[in-house]
Amino acid sequence: MENEVQKKRILSGIQPSGDLTLGSYLGAIKNWAALADEYDCYYMLADMHTITVRQVPADLRRRTLTQVAAYIACGLDPEKNVLFVQSHVPAHAQLAWVLDCYTMFGELSRMTQFKDKSAKNADNINAGLFTYPALMAADILLYQADLVPVGGDQKQHVEICRDIATRFNGVYGDVFKLPEPYIPQVGARVMSLTTPENKMSKSDKDQNGCVYMLEKPEDILRKFKKAVTDSDACVRYDPAAKPGVSNLMQIYSVATGRSYGEIEQEFDGLGYGDFKKAVGEAVVELLRPIREETERLLADKAYLESVYRTGAEKASYVANRTLSKVYKKVGFLAR
Ligand code: TRP
């Protein structure tokens, strides 16, 4: 118990805005699973962030449940990690409002993601898209998280979270712990199979660039077969000169545990056709148990429900303590 108290706390989240990708598995979730013993871990499904872009309600619901199952299938043990849905813990919305009042219009206007997303959703530049970082700051600060595992694209959001927390603490004393972004040492940055200069992304227009965690084997194999390489015909790791081949090598390396040297040797004298086939097959085998386990879990709705309910209870307990403190500090009358 004493040990528990001293563990550093981790919080992270993924939006159920699309199906989980090979990139979200290798770049994030796979690494999270390894942190459970050392840290006190909270993983959220950021469904409130997802509605900043218009969603089909039934799809959002289905993806949220599937994502809970997939988290577990990827090795996030619900006994060791708190797995919860953001909208199940009202404190997120409640703290977000307070933090809105401590977040400046100017700093929100400068967020890269806001600029990108408002360009992409020109017909729906809503206030939620604008105040998104304050909600994300609430997600993190409610749990007094020490570390926030995120990809490079989210670092700016952790920075603004620190700025908001610092501003609030400056007025009211040490209410919030200042979180650090956490980039795990072992983590893959999986790039698109068709435009290997870009990160593999579920929002990629070209669906051949993105492999989904729960995708059918034949579709996975087809996508790897079509993956962009170069005209060198040589399997060699060189991300700058050979981004496509290097990305495939990275994926193959994580999937098989082989080093780049070993992979270069294995395909010495063979063509890209053999190489891409091998990578595709390795990914199919890597994802097979996850897909099967996710399907098995999805057939057991009662179990999944018990996981996210327990998660919401545990998360609410911690979150409400922070929220009460904040409400008191800003001068709200106790109920
Ligand atoms: N904004 C993150 C993303 O789109 C998801 C997210 C929401 C998150 N709240 C968070 C990540 C809190 C880390 C911590 O990827």
Side-chain angles (χ1 to χ4, degrees):
M1 195 62 207
E2 226 159 77
N3 261 344
E4 297 268 324
V5 176
Q6 285 164 8
K7 277 187 186 173
K8 285 198 172 176
R9 186 167 291 158
I10 281 194
L11 176 128
S12 195
I14 295 185
Q15 292 190 41
S17 56
D19 295 331
L20 290 168
T21 69
L22 176 67
S24 23
Y25 176 57
L26 295 182
I29 308 172
K30 183 169 183 269
N31 309 310
W32 294 354
L35 301 171
D37 291 324
E38 199 179 333
Y39 298 95
D40 186 18
C41 298
Y42 288 72
Y43 299 112
M44 187 181 74
L45 288 90
D47 58 343
M48 290 164 67
H49 280 103
T50 305
I51 64 161
T52 55
V53 174
R54 195 76 74 233
Q55 301 293 320
V56 176
D59 289 351
L60 177 58
R61 217 179 327 271
R62 175 188 54 77
R63 285 197 309 260
T64 306
L65 190 68
T66 305
Q67 197 168 306
V68 175
Y71 272 11
I72 303 168
C74 288
L76 292 179
D77 178 351
E79 305 285 326
K80 293 190 188 166
N81 301 274
V82 180
L83 308 180
F84 69 103
V85 179
Q86 186 182 29
S87 65
H88 291 177
V89 181
H92 290 253
Q94 293 169 304
L95 182 62
W97 173 255
V98 176
L99 296 183
D100 276 345
C101 304
Y102 295 80
T103 306
M104 299 301 141
F105 187 89
E107 61 190 342
L108 290 175
S109 320
R110 287 190 293 273
M111 301 303 288
T112 332
Q113 194 178 74
F114 173 67
K115 291 190 223 162
D116 286 354
K117 286 203 177 173
S118 33
K120 276 192 199 142
N121 302 284
D123 55 344
N124 184 21
I125 308 179
N126 59 73
L129 205 55
F130 188 64
T131 59
Y132 179 118
L135 176 59
M136 180 156 157
D139 300 337
I140 298 167
L141 299 176
L142 277 173
Y143 299 91
Q144 307 286 354
D146 297 278
L147 299 170
V148 183
V150 282
D153 60 321
Q154 295 294 320
K155 255 182 103 176
Q156 201 185 21
H157 286 151
V158 180
E159 274 153 26
I160 196 176
C161 170
R162 289 173 59 92
D163 293 343
I164 298 167
T166 305
R167 183 174 301 131
F168 195 94
N169 287 351
V171 182
Y172 302 105
D174 279 340
V175 177
F176 297 127
K177 179 165 271 170
L178 291 191
E180 308 268 355
Y182 175 69
I183 318 286
Q185 292 103 334
V186 284
R189 186 170 149 79
V190 179
M191 311 306 277
S192 160
L193 300 186
T194 47
T195 47
E197 302 75 33
N198 304 328
K199 198 170 127 176
M200 180 178 283
S201 162
K202 56 196 170 194
S203 50
D204 198 336
K205 288 224 172 55
D206 183 355
Q207 283 303 301
N208 284 322
C210 181
V211 171
Y212 294 97
M213 256 173 58
L214 307 176
E215 204 163 358
K216 288 206 285 292
E218 58 267 33
D219 293 335
I220 298 177
L221 291 172
R222 180 178 44 78
K223 288 182 180 180
F224 277 99
K225 215 166 156 184
K226 283 197 186 149
V228 165
T229 48
D230 50 49
S231 52
D232 244 13
C234 169
V235 175
R236 184 167 50 81
Y237 191 75
D238 182 349
K242 297 165 72 67
V245 169
S246 304
N247 183 42
L248 293 173
M249 285 180 76
Q250 177 190 224
I251 295 170
Y252 193 62
S253 169
V254 189
T256 60
R258 287 174 214 163
S259 69
Y260 293 141
E262 286 167 338
I263 299 170
E264 284 169 9
Q265 247 171 28
E266 184 179 346
F267 295 98
D268 187 27
L270 296 175
Y272 285 154
D274 292 315
F275 173 54
K276 292 198 282 188
K277 183 159 172 272
V279 182
E281 284 167 358
V283 170
V284 166
E285 289 321 311
L286 176 77
L287 296 179
R288 186 188 302 282
I290 296 175
R291 177 169 45 84
E292 289 175 354
E293 180 64 0
T294 305
E295 280 163 7
R296 195 187 66 76
L297 289 165
L298 279 171
D300 190 351
K301 297 275 184 304
Y303 172 70
L304 289 177
E305 224 172 85
S306 76
V307 167
Y308 63 70
R309 283 205 184 136
T310 309
E313 270 165 38
K314 289 187 194 160
S316 295
Y317 177 77
V318 178
N320 285 332
R321 284 172 52 165
T322 304
L323 185 69
S324 308
K325 210 166 161 185
V326 168
Y327 271 20
K328 208 165 167 179
K329 291 285 185 185
V330 300
F332 289 164
L333 178 66
R335 196 170 79 175

